[in-house]
Amino acid sequence: MRHFGHIAPEVRQRLFHREPGAFTADSPARLLSAALGATLYSPATRPRLADDIVKQTDRGVVSMVLCLEDSIGDEDVADAEENLVRQFADLAERGPADIPLLFIRVRTPEQIPDLVRRLGPSARLLSGFVMPKFTEESGIPFLEALQSAEAESGRRLFAMPVLESPELLYRESRVQTLEGIARTVDKYRERVLALRLGVTDFCSSYGLRRAPDMTAWDVQIVASVISDVVNMLGRADGTGFTVTGPVWEYFRVQERMFKPQLRRSPFLEGQAEELREALIEHSMDGLLREITLDQANGLLGKTCIHPSHVLPVHALSVVSHEEFSDAQDILRPERGGGGVLRSAYTNKMNEVKPHRAWAERTMLRAEVFGVANEDVGFVELLAAGIPAPA
C-alpha cells in the first residue's frame, strides 16, 4: 500500500517530486508509525464491515480501527466480537491485494488473546490492538495480553495505547501518571507503534465540547495536557514515540459564529473556489487548521471518525518541496560538523545542529507521504484526491 495510491499514476507523477513510498504491514515499526496517517475508526458492529474496509482502501485509507469500546453499547459487545470474526474471515477469503493496517480497539486485556484465537488464520490481517484509558496500572495487563497473543499466534502485533484517563488530565496527578506511562511503554517499546490522544474524554471530565470553529489547541485545558504528553513522550532524542492528533468530531455545520479560516487566494490560484466552499460548508476549515497546529506541536497523523477527514490529513502530511530542500541541505554528510547556511529558497536560515532532528523527521515523512512538486500545494493535493462523481 501507499499514500495517494488510489489516484492515477500520471496524476501522482504531476503532483510529486518524490512519490510516496510503498509499505506493508510487515514494514519496520518506525516507518509504519509515520505512515498511519488518518486512522479511520469504525464500529465493529457494522454488518458489511468487510465491504467497508475494501471501499475505504479505494479511497486512500491506510489504517483503520475497528472499535469494540466507546462506539458501541455495552450490550452489543458479544455480537460485535462475533461480527469481527465473520468479517475477518470474509476478508481473508477474498484475499484483496491491499487492505489498510487493521487494529481492534478492545475494552479489556482478556479480549486480546481471545479474539486472536477466534480469528484463527484470518488473524494474519490484523496489525494490532488499541488499548483504552491507558495508564501504568491499566496498561501492563493489556501489553502482557498482547505479548501472550503474539507468542501464541506467531504474528507480530502492535499496541496503540490511548491516553485519555482523568489522572492524566488532572494537574495534581499528571506528572506521576506520565512517568508511569513512560516506564510502561519503554519496557514494551518494540511493540508500541504510536500513542493516541483521547481528547473527547479529556473534555468530558470538565463537561466541555469544542465547537466546530475551535480546535483542540483553543481549549487550554486540553492543549496543556497534549503539550505535556509530547514533552515527556514525544521527544526526538530516541526515547520518544509517535503521538497522533486528536479526533475531529464535525462533518457538516449548519451555522457558524466566526469567519471561515481558509484564505481564498490559494484556491483561486488553483482554480478550486468550489472546493473551498465545500470545505467550509463541511467544517473542514477548522479541521485543516487543527491538523496544521497538530503538526506544529509535534503530532503526526490523526484519529478520524468520518471518511471525508482522511484526505485533508494526508494532503497536509505531504512534505513540501521547500521543506524537502531544507532537510536535504541540513543532512548533507559534509554538514556533520554544524554551521549555518542560507536555504536554497533564500528565505530562511538553516542551522545544521538545532534543525537536524526536524530534518530527520521530515525525511521520514517524505518517505511515506512523498514530496510535492515545487508548484504544488495542499489545494492541488486535495483536489486530486477527491473521487470523481460516478
Side-chain angles (χ1 to χ4, degrees):
M1 70 189 86
R2 72 171 72 221
H3 286 289
F4 295 92
H6 64 300
I7 65 176
E10 62 272 17
V11 177
R12 286 203 307 271
Q13 191 172 27
R14 174 173 56 80
L15 293 174
F16 289 98
H17 170 73
R18 176 181 287 187
E19 289 194 25
F23 56 93
T24 72
D26 296 317
S27 293
R30 181 171 178 267
L31 188 73
L32 290 182
S33 69
L36 287 168
T39 301
L40 185 64
Y41 274 55
S42 177
T45 50
R46 292 181 68 89
R48 299 179 63 85
L49 188 57
D51 291 337
D52 293 340
I53 290 168
V54 173
K55 181 168 68 175
Q56 297 309 329
T57 304
D58 295 337
R59 294 178 175 178
V61 174
V62 304
S63 63
M64 289 186 70
V65 173
L66 314 175
C67 185
L68 293 167
E69 209 225 356
D70 285 348
S71 69
I72 66 173
D74 298 345
E75 68 281 1
D76 295 325
V77 174
D79 288 343
E81 289 179 346
E82 290 180 11
N83 186 54
L84 274 182
V85 173
R86 287 194 303 270
Q87 302 293 337
F88 266 76
D90 183 0
L91 273 177
E93 187 176 342
R94 298 187 201 191
D98 283 329
I99 60 169
L101 304 171
L102 298 178
F103 302 85
I104 298 174
R105 179 169 172 165
V106 291
R107 294 181 173 217
T108 67
E110 294 75 22
Q111 286 177 297
I112 293 175
D114 179 60
L115 282 168
V116 170
R117 281 192 294 269
R118 291 164 65 183
L119 288 171
S122 65
R124 64 182 173 80
L125 303 178
L126 182 65
S127 290
F129 291 88
V130 175
M131 301 167 177
K133 300 171 179 60
F134 192 95
T135 63
E136 182 175 30
E137 183 179 0
S138 68
I140 289 175
F142 276 111
L143 291 165
E144 288 176 344
L146 180 79
Q147 201 169 45
S148 173
E150 185 180 62
E152 187 174 331
S153 67
R155 165 105 188 126
R156 182 180 71 168
L157 295 170
F158 286 113
M160 289 204 291
V162 185
L163 309 185
E164 57 187 345
S165 64
E167 302 97 308
L168 182 58
L169 182 62
Y170 299 153
R171 184 169 185 171
E172 67 271 18
S173 54
R174 184 180 303 172
V175 172
Q176 182 180 355
T177 302
L178 277 170
E179 288 174 343
I181 291 170
R183 285 192 296 268
T184 305
V185 294
D186 185 61
K187 181 179 178 182
Y188 294 87
R189 173 172 293 275
E190 63 184 19
R191 286 298 169 261
V192 177
L193 188 62
L195 304 175
R196 311 200 73 87
L197 293 163
V199 164
T200 303
D201 280 58
F202 290 157
C203 290
S204 174
S205 295
Y206 289 89
L208 304 175
R209 185 174 191 177
R210 70 188 189 275
D213 40 18
M214 296 280 181
T215 72
W217 300 97
D218 294 313
V219 183
Q220 290 301 301
I221 199 164
V222 169
S224 71
V225 70
I226 298 176
S227 297
D228 285 346
V229 168
V230 175
N231 190 325
M232 292 188 68
L233 298 171
R235 299 177 186 179
D237 60 359
T239 67
F241 296 83
T242 294
V243 183
T244 65
V247 69
W248 180 258
E249 298 178 350
Y250 297 95
F251 36 89
R252 190 174 182 91
V253 175
Q254 302 301 322
E255 183 179 359
R256 63 171 62 237
M257 182 181 300
F258 300 109
K259 289 182 179 180
Q261 301 174 69
L262 286 178
R263 290 175 56 239
R264 191 179 299 271
S265 55
F267 292 86
L268 291 175
E269 292 167 10
Q271 297 183 326
E273 178 65 14
E274 288 185 7
L275 173 59
R276 178 179 179 272
E277 295 299 326
L279 291 169
I280 291 170
E281 180 183 358
H282 292 83
S283 192
M284 295 297 181
D285 55 327
L287 170 61
L288 291 167
R289 181 167 178 264
E290 182 165 288
I291 296 166
T292 303
L293 289 170
D294 287 347
Q295 294 175 350
N297 286 280
L299 306 183
L300 182 61
K302 200 165 186 65
T303 295
C304 294
I305 48 83
H306 196 273
S308 64
H309 299 168
V310 172
L311 182 56
V313 174
H314 292 171
L316 284 175
S317 297
V318 173
V319 173
S320 71
H321 188 273
E322 182 174 347
E323 290 176 309
F324 181 67
S325 173
D326 288 341
Q328 272 192 318
D329 285 347
I330 291 164
L331 295 175
R332 291 188 192 282
E334 64 269 24
R335 301 288 182 187
V340 177
L341 58 150
R342 184 176 64 172
S343 73
Y345 276 68
T346 68
N347 60 359
K348 73 178 76 63
M349 172 195 75
N350 288 326
E351 195 168 352
V352 173
K353 287 186 177 179
H355 288 142
R356 186 175 187 84
W358 169 85
E360 290 172 345
R361 184 169 178 166
T362 299
M363 295 302 272
L364 179 61
R365 184 160 55 93
E367 188 173 348
V368 291
F369 288 102
V371 179
N373 269 322
E374 192 168 356
D375 59 346
V376 170
F378 79 94
V379 173
E380 290 83 0
L381 293 162
L382 277 173
I386 295 173

